[in-house]
Amino acid sequence: MKIAIAADHGGYKLKEEIKPYIESLGHTVTDFGTYSEDSVDYPDYAAPCARAVVSGEMDRGIVICGTGIGISIAANKIKGVRCALCTDPVMARLTREHNDANMLAMGARIIGGELARGIVKAFLETDFSNGKRHMDRINKITELERAK
Ligand code: RB5
């Protein structure tokens, strides 16, 4: 798959650590920045990464900040994004199975590299269940976007 990745300064190091791991799983990575630990604003990196996912240019997106909270909130403002902040591989598996999440957020100040790799693997390797009840709920989320 084509994976878009982005981080702020708080997530920069984990982004750099995770990129070769994603490639080792057989995916291609496009890096939307940031490219150093200089202070930046996470919405500026979440938005282009998220737009690349909803446009279909990229298959999935991964965003990282200090907590994962700010960058996930920002990504979820882009219509069509379902970005899940995950702190363990079970959450990553379930958000793929139940929510068909197209973006993953992680907090570099919350989790370490080994845990992040487990989360990323689960996120990238789990298919949506296609269960009717889950599809109905996702459709209701899409309706909420339209109602805004
Ligand atoms: C940046 O200092 C920090 O606020 C950011 O990385 C993130 O944790 C916000 O949610």
Side-chain angles (χ1 to χ4, degrees):
M1 287 190 292
K2 288 180 282 184
I3 309 302
I5 194 165
D8 74 352
H9 53 288
Y12 167 73
K13 274 189 179 163
L14 184 59
K15 172 171 72 68
E16 294 306 303
E17 190 180 335
I18 285 299
K19 277 196 295 184
Y21 177 68
I22 297 169
E23 287 164 347
S24 80
L25 295 176
H27 306 287
T28 58
V29 177
T30 300
D31 188 343
F32 287 79
T34 185
Y35 304 109
S36 78
E37 289 188 278
D38 294 347
S39 183
V40 294
D41 300 329
Y42 51 79
D44 296 338
Y45 296 87
C49 182
R51 289 194 181 106
V53 173
V54 293
S55 74
E57 181 193 341
M58 295 285 143
D59 297 306
R60 301 229 186 119
I62 298 176
V63 286
I64 309 170
C65 68
T67 59
I69 296 170
I71 207 157
S72 62
I73 292 172
N76 276 314
K77 295 296 178 189
I78 305 298
K79 255 185 199 175
V81 165
R82 290 182 301 281
C83 181
L85 171 56
C86 297
T87 54
D88 67 55
V90 177
M91 293 173 78
R93 176 174 62 79
L94 288 173
T95 197
R96 286 288 312 131
E97 288 178 355
H98 292 194
N99 315 121
D100 197 14
N102 51 10
M103 293 189 69
L104 165 70
M106 297 186 291
R109 293 177 188 151
I110 307 298
I111 59 168
E114 190 61 31
L115 187 50
R117 281 188 283 279
I119 292 168
V120 165
K121 186 173 167 62
F123 178 72
L124 295 180
E125 297 187 350
T126 306
D127 291 329
F128 177 50
S129 69
N130 270 306
K132 185 184 178 308
R133 69 183 190 282
H134 298 307
M135 201 63 243
D136 289 347
R137 291 163 189 159
I138 291 166
N139 287 338
K140 287 189 178 190
I141 293 173
T142 306
E143 278 168 28
L144 289 176
E145 283 179 338
R146 290 208 191 96
K148 257 200 299 200

